[in-house]
Amino acid sequence: MAQAAPINVISLPLANSKFGARPRSLTFKASRIRASSSSSSPSSSSGVPVPDFLSSDWLESRKKRPFGPRLNFSAEEAVQWQMDALKHNDQPRQDYGIEVMYRFAGFDPFERSTYFGPIFDLGQFERFRRIFHHSKYRVLLCHKERRVLSSFWVDENRFKQRVWVQGSRPEEEEKFEFTMVQRVGGSWDGYWLTESLLHDGDGFSSKIAY
């Protein structure tokens, strides 16, 4: 006749002995180990606890994330949304509009970029933000007026648009050129992202200090 599986008794001391607790015995049956969870944890139909990965403020934190590219945006709409964000740059917080621009930017953060014309390392948002506060780009921040000067389809997946901008300071106006590229393949397939935002003229200096 087969014998029942042996019962192993192991004495384990509690890790924290400063409370004066004594060692206790834990009993394990070799034939079966039963796992249990507290009644407060949510469970699936099989009785396995389902962890709650989302914090209580997850939804609110999602609402606070900067606006970004959308699959249903056309090239023109992508430019318009970015310009709107820059017009209201400090709403709902300071430099929120620049954060939106950073989300639309199509450069690789691990490589140097020609987004502004000269080659810069723009992997860190702070560097990207500082260039927008340069004298030639700050006109975009909280600007009063803008007007599309021209639009040009280079090819099916590349679009350029020149924009005139009147700034919030007296006699402050500049022209800029957006180059939008529609990604093909990858996680951004179909999205229009900004390849470059160039100041119209030679006023932008590659000697900008970070």
Side-chain angles (χ1 to χ4, degrees):
M1 183 175 67
Q3 295 182 352
I7 298 176
N8 299 325
V9 179
I10 305 172
S11 294
L12 297 175
L14 292 178
N16 194 343
S17 59
K18 72 177 181 178
F19 297 106
R22 296 180 180 179
R24 61 181 180 181
S25 296
L26 299 179
T27 302
F28 298 91
K29 289 187 177 182
S31 60
R32 180 176 63 182
I33 297 178
R34 182 177 182 181
S36 62
S37 61
S38 62
S39 58
S40 59
S41 299
S43 301
S44 65
S45 58
S46 61
V48 179
V50 179
D52 184 5
F53 291 106
L54 304 179
S55 61
S56 58
D57 62 346
W58 178 83
L59 181 59
E60 289 302 317
S61 65
R62 288 284 295 181
K63 292 179 180 179
K64 294 178 182 179
R65 291 180 61 185
F67 182 79
R70 297 290 186 271
L71 187 57
N72 62 328
F73 283 173
S74 65
E76 295 95 329
E77 288 172 332
V79 173
Q80 179 183 340
W81 280 106
Q82 291 179 84
M83 290 299 295
D84 285 345
L86 290 174
K87 181 178 178 65
H88 306 285
N89 181 59
D90 294 326
Q91 299 177 18
R93 58 179 177 270
Q94 186 175 9
D95 286 337
Y96 176 86
I98 301 178
E99 292 181 47
V100 172
M101 297 296 293
Y102 196 69
R103 285 183 170 267
F104 272 94
F107 57 77
D108 185 339
F110 299 103
E111 296 182 2
R112 295 173 71 84
S113 171
T114 56
Y115 180 95
F116 291 106
I119 300 176
F120 289 121
D121 178 2
L122 300 175
Q124 297 181 13
F125 171 72
E126 181 59 23
R127 293 179 176 180
F128 186 82
R129 187 190 71 83
R130 287 181 184 181
I131 291 178
F132 267 99
H133 284 276
H134 179 261
S135 60
K136 294 297 180 181
Y137 278 79
R138 68 181 183 181
V139 63
L140 291 164
L141 306 179
C142 305
H143 60 269
K144 289 184 176 180
E145 278 188 64
R146 68 176 184 267
R147 183 171 67 251
V148 174
L149 298 177
S150 63
S151 298
F152 174 64
W153 287 93
V154 180
D155 55 42
E156 183 181 358
N157 302 114
R158 187 180 298 270
F159 172 80
K160 289 180 179 287
Q161 187 171 91
R162 295 179 70 244
V163 183
W164 169 86
V165 177
Q166 181 182 1
S168 58
R169 302 169 184 83
E171 300 182 0
E172 185 181 47
E173 60 180 70
E174 301 289 347
K175 298 174 184 177
F176 298 90
E177 181 184 82
F178 280 86
T179 300
M180 306 298 297
V181 175
Q182 187 178 41
R183 289 290 179 85
V184 178
S187 58
W188 290 101
D189 182 46
Y191 287 83
W192 284 97
L193 303 179
T194 308
E195 181 180 72
S196 64
L197 174 59
L198 306 180
H199 174 254
D200 187 21
D202 58 357
F204 194 91
S205 171
S206 59
K207 297 180 181 180
I208 296 176
Y210 286 148

